[in-house]
Amino acid sequence: MRRNAPDEKRQPRQRGELIRRATSKLTAAGAVFGVGALIVSTSLPAAAFTAPDRSPVPRQASTVTVQSFAAEAAVALQAPSTLGRDGYSVTAPLPPPPPPRAKTVRLFAPVGGLLYTPDPNGTIRWPFPYYVPIASGFGPRSAPCGSCSSFHDGIDMLAGGGAPIGAIAPGVVSAVVADRGGYGTHVIIDHVVNGQKIQSTYAHMIAGSPTVVAGQTVTVGQTLGFVGNTGASTGAHLHLGISIGGSFIDPYAWLMANAN
């Protein structure tokens, strides 16, 4: 009985050692498994462990916003033409209306009341064989230009540029003058009417247009030159002056009294 005592004591010790070893191995394996599970759980998305939702999702109708722009030259109150493509619209304006036509502005306004009836066969005549408006009468006036006079020593007749100018009576040409100021290009004729010496002046002719020379005898109605705009003038016209004894008189009144 004494020989078996050590063996009996040794067996419990050996079983306890085996249990501790097994426990330590299980503990190590559990730790390794826990670490692996932790790695997997942090590396995969949460949705990896759930089944995908395969229920049909209703499609929404797509909306297209139509963009448009208008050209800068659009004209107000006009119906534009429109073109569209690929969801865009382009508004093209109609061409602008043509500019208004320039108004014709007369440089002179005829003086009311200065009317007459020319006689193309008279021995004393008006400078033109037809009626011509008179734009400025004889006497005081507002100067129409900087170099124009404030006392008008004749009458301005609107026959139109280039119209031929006729002598009011038979006579002799006393001067043909090419002047840049004042009367411009003009002709002066000496007459004797009813025994009285008079002079007639035809001013603002086209430069170089006089058809007579000094000392030449002319007949009534003979062309002396053409209406122009030379000298102190604001537009094409004939300035007709009549003087007696070196003093200018009213040509309109004289012709009304003497032309037949």
Side-chain angles (χ1 to χ4, degrees), residues 38-90:
L38 180 62
I39 294 174
V40 171
S41 63
T42 56
S43 61
L44 292 178
F49 297 99
T50 60
D53 186 4
R54 302 186 179 276
S55 59
V57 178
R59 298 180 59 183
Q60 296 182 356
S62 60
T63 58
V64 178
T65 301
V66 178
Q67 301 182 10
S68 63
F69 66 92
E72 294 181 357
V75 180
L77 302 181
Q78 289 188 347
S81 58
T82 303
L83 298 177
R85 182 178 179 182
D86 298 334
Y88 290 85
S89 65
V90 179

Side-chain angles (χ1 to χ4, degrees), residues 117-146:
T117 302
D119 182 358
N121 299 313
T123 57
I124 297 177
R125 305 176 188 174
W126 291 80
F128 305 99
Y130 45 85
Y131 170 78
V132 170
I134 297 175
S136 182
F138 181 83
R141 67 173 182 177
S142 297
C145 66

Side-chain angles (χ1 to χ4, degrees), residues 203-216:
H204 306 306
M205 291 182 178
I206 295 175
S209 72
T211 58
V212 295
V213 295
Q216 180 179 343

Side-chain angles (χ1 to χ4, degrees), residues 68-219:
S68 63
F69 66 92
E72 294 181 357
V75 180
L77 302 181
Q78 289 188 347
S81 58
T82 303
L83 298 177
R85 182 178 179 182
D86 298 334
Y88 290 85
S89 65
V90 179
T91 302
L94 295 176
R101 297 181 61 183
K103 297 181 179 179
T104 301
V105 179
R106 304 186 73 173
L107 297 177
F108 300 96
V111 177
L114 299 184
L115 303 177
Y116 59 93
T117 302
D119 182 358
N121 299 313
T123 57
I124 297 177
R125 305 176 188 174
W126 291 80
F128 305 99
Y130 45 85
Y131 170 78
V132 170
I134 297 175
S136 182
F138 181 83
R141 67 173 182 177
S142 297
C145 66
S147 57
C148 297
S149 64
S150 58
F151 185 91
H152 199 210
D153 57 13
I155 58 175
D156 291 340
M157 307 186 73
L158 303 179
I165 303 168
I168 63 172
V172 177
V173 178
S174 59
V176 177
V177 182
D179 187 4
R180 292 186 177 181
Y183 290 148
T185 299
H186 61 282
V187 172
I188 301 175
I189 300 178
D190 295 333
H191 310 275
V192 177
V193 178
N194 299 328
Q196 187 179 38
K197 292 182 180 180
I198 69 168
Q199 275 190 333
S200 59
T201 301
Y202 310 82
H204 306 306
M205 291 182 178
I206 295 175
S209 72
T211 58
V212 295
V213 295
Q216 180 179 343
T217 300
V218 297
T219 60

